Amino acid sequence: MTPEAQARQIIDSKLVQAGWIVQDHKAINLGAGPGVAVREFPTDSGPADYLLFVQRQAVGVIEAKRDDAGATLVATERQTARYATARLKWRREGAPLRFLFEATGQIIRFTDTADPAPRSREVFHFFRPETLADWTARGDTLRRRLVEAMPALPAEKLRDCQIRAVTGLERSLAANRPRALIHMATGAGKTFTAITSVYRLLKFGGAKRVLFLVDTRNLGRQAHQEFMAYTPPDDARQFTELYNVQRLSSPAIDPQAQVCISTVQRLYSMLSGQPIADSAEDVSLNEVPSLKDRTPPPVRYDAAVPVETFDFIVIDECHRSIYNLWKQVLDYFDAFLIGLTATPDQRTYGFFNENVVAEYPYEQSVVDGVNVGYDVYEIATRITQQGAVVEAQQWVDHRDLQTRRKRWAALDEDVAYDAKALDRSVVNPSQIRQVIQAMKTAVETQIFPTRRETPKTLIFAKTDSHADDIIQMVREVYGQGNDFCRKVTYSERDADGVLASFRNDFHPRIAVTVDMIATGTDVKPLEVLLFMRDVRSRGYYEQMKGRGVRSLSAEGLQRVSASADGAKARFVLIDAVGVEQSLKTESRPLEKKPGVALKDLLQGVAMGVRDEDTVLSLANRLVRLARQLDDKAQARIEKVSGGVPVGELGRALVAAVDPDAVVAAALEAARARGITRSEDTLLPAEIEAARAERVAAACVPFDDPALRDAIENARREREQVIDTVNLDQVVFAGFSAQAEDQARAVIASFAEALARHRDEIAALGFFYQQPYQRRALTFDMLEELREHLSRPPLMLTTDRLWAAYARVQAGQVKGADRLRQLTDLVSLVRFALGLETELRPFADEVDRRFQAWIFRHNAQRATAFTPEQTDWLRLMKDHIASSCSIGREDFDYAELAGKGGLQRAWKLFGADLDVLMDEMNLELVA
């Protein structure tokens, strides 16, 4: 067979797969089906390789080339255009054909000449005839509508960064740029922005269907909820009342769905024909090893999901998976790709052709008040840093990793462990206790000293078992019950319910997770993140930190944390494992070496990584493991595998990729289709399909997470040593140098704001202008100052300012553990301007001044104030401490009205009352 004939054979096969009937021009029968591809159709420029007829009308042409001509297909476009404009025999119309294809057996390029500035693009497969019929009937094209039909964007309900993102994306789409990246900080409303764009593309762009791609089912549920809650600015109905939204949970796409929400894993399963375990959709792609120097498993054409199924694909948090393992899912569809991310890296920019249509980094979001900043508090213990040794003959608990059953036994030999082994092969309860106790002390005395309840806290654990140990210790250290601290991991049956309670209810106050809410999940009231696991991926770490950045109004925060004073202004990252200092990489490559972790091989195969190297690596590992395990360990695996020994599982994988067996299977499949083949005439695609089918069958057992766990646990020690011998101790607990630098920056911005606005804000004039004694400071003046300072970009609340001074000038700051009041701003301003050498709560300063004032008055008067008068003066002093001044109208307040109000005060002081009030306002405040 010549190269030309072989390419034509593959092209014929692809056309048939897409629903075309392929005919020779001498045997033409345009009534044979909705789409007919006629070979060697005569034109006045010579025979066209294929002429495409839809509903008996000529609509397109295919110029076919041999496979080694792929590099010159672009140069073939002129030849294709010549056939498209040539006069066709038996055709009356003279208009040029609209749809132009150039193809080899491996590559297809397509041009729609109705587009503005028609430009060819590579497509994975030929379009179905029904698609070309729809496009022909409509007349205009998607790309033309993106240029001509998109109206101005209504700015209501949108932040400036969201407006820039939507308009920037639409400019990019109008320019026919196939990939666009929106870089927007976590918490800035990426999903809302994306839904706004999707709505406009459906309504005005005439998009047929949009795919919203996520990496876990949890994020898919969250995205679906946001679509249901979205109300467009030009319609009172919700999005889901206007358009059908389908969250894929099966291989079938609803033909009526205009938005599909799916995990990358499920879509890959649909296109590769390989079943995927449900549990694979619960694992964040950040946790799946990437592939390096490997050939990703192929996807294949699926007539039920043709390449034109989606016009746009929105990739939520475009993780590194799209650059390797599942890139083919995106290459399959003829769609614009729109990436959303808060944590881009160099590969992100490269994948999206450096087309960043909007950029809104985290730092700018904090300046704008969209997100909150954070401080880093460090906890270091001796064992965390140095590890320990449990000496031989010590009696300790040994705990089964699966059942958590304990047995009490003496050690046969020394057990030395370091930080890496901690909470994996060895558990030290004292280490966990010391970290949790240090966190509790820090939060209650330094981080949020004025709170009556524990702020919402998320703890990142290493494993499910580690999470259980942390939960028990938290409840013990805090002296609280089960509801106080809960686990939120994929293994929990009611994980979604616990997460909803964590987000909206008083309990739980503390949640412990491994990776379920490490990315994307929105928990706005979070104010403390405790890292008890290290993270090596820079992007994943930024995602995990992003769980705390979301801003929240005072009302929203007080709904779950009643003693919070105002809106959420910051969160605190507590680093108990050195995660801030550990070396971060862009990814964790899975190298083509025997040293790949068995856990990674098992997880990879379950999630579709089934290239020959991975399959053989896993097979060899399982065969070797079978020789190492004792009978009990073998039996435990067989109990889960349905009686299949672990060695047989490995040998089945080896057999699946055996070249001779694959060829035999391909020949048998050809015979079943009624095609006679020899080994020499088998097509590469037929051989690959046979291999994929055999590998898929051999990999079915590994879809079961219980089997994967059983194999993983069998290869290592099944027990953890519980080290209660070595007691740990905290060697450092305090804010990091970075936090101190941030505190200094807060103080500097406060001083700068005071100086810049001294003539604009009345309260500042009280301090800057002389003489103080002739002026009065009112509550309204102070409220104006507070509102100005707390707005973006300053975000300087009294809590934040007091904490910053306490961090930098601890010896001069008093009352850091007291609940802040508005009037504490007076003390902050006086301290910042150098009018006081100590920063103390305003009420304390008023008390001190009151004592001096009343002592001076009693000394100067012939008759000292009576006890009742003194009691009234104290009441008036207390009102000044909370309100900054007192006047006649204030005697209607409860604490004064309850003692008889203005009438009683006037009877006690007479005409001196007004004089005394003016004097107190000046003396106690100035």
Side-chain angles (χ1 to χ4, degrees), residues 215-222 247 263 278-279 281-282:
D215 77 340
T216 65
R217 282 190 294 187
N218 183 47
L219 296 184
R221 283 191 292 268
Q222 186 168 298
R247 184 155 59 88
T263 63
D278 287 343
S279 61
E281 292 188 272
D282 289 333

Side-chain angles (χ1 to χ4, degrees), residues 857-868:
H857 259 273
N858 283 339
Q860 292 172 354
R861 289 165 59 99
T863 305
F865 290 122
T866 67
E868 187 177 4

Side-chain angles (χ1 to χ4, degrees), residues 550-665:
R550 296 179 185 271
S551 60
L552 186 60
S553 67
E555 180 183 1
L557 183 57
Q558 289 166 356
R559 189 176 298 121
V560 296
S561 296
S563 64
D565 180 22
K568 179 179 172 183
R570 62 168 180 153
F571 75 97
V572 176
L573 187 159
I574 301 180
D575 181 4
V577 290
V579 67
E580 276 282 292
Q581 288 78 37
S582 64
L583 179 65
K584 301 292 187 292
T585 60
E586 297 296 351
S587 64
R588 295 179 301 162
L590 180 60
E591 296 180 348
K592 188 178 176 182
K593 294 179 180 178
V596 175
L598 177 59
K599 177 183 178 182
D600 291 338
L601 290 172
L602 289 164
Q603 187 69 51
V605 165
M607 299 186 74
V609 186
R610 294 174 180 179
D611 59 283
E612 190 160 317
D613 289 329
T614 298
V615 170
L616 287 177
S617 293
L618 178 58
N620 291 334
R621 200 72 60 83
L622 294 178
V623 171
R624 187 167 69 246
L625 183 64
R627 294 194 296 266
Q628 298 169 347
L629 299 180
D630 59 24
D631 292 343
K632 289 184 178 180
Q634 294 268 17
R636 284 193 292 267
I637 293 176
E638 290 177 28
K639 183 178 180 180
V640 182
S641 69
V644 182
V646 66
E648 286 301 318
L649 293 171
R651 283 185 281 275
L653 292 173
V654 174
V657 295
D658 177 75
D660 293 336
V662 169
V663 168

Side-chain angles (χ1 to χ4, degrees), residues 419-420 422-424 460-464 466 514 532-533 577:
K420 186 176 180 180
L422 195 61
D423 302 305
R424 298 189 188 278
F460 290 111
K462 297 174 184 176
T463 64
D464 258 10
H466 187 211
V514 178
M532 294 188 73
R533 63 172 288 194
V577 290

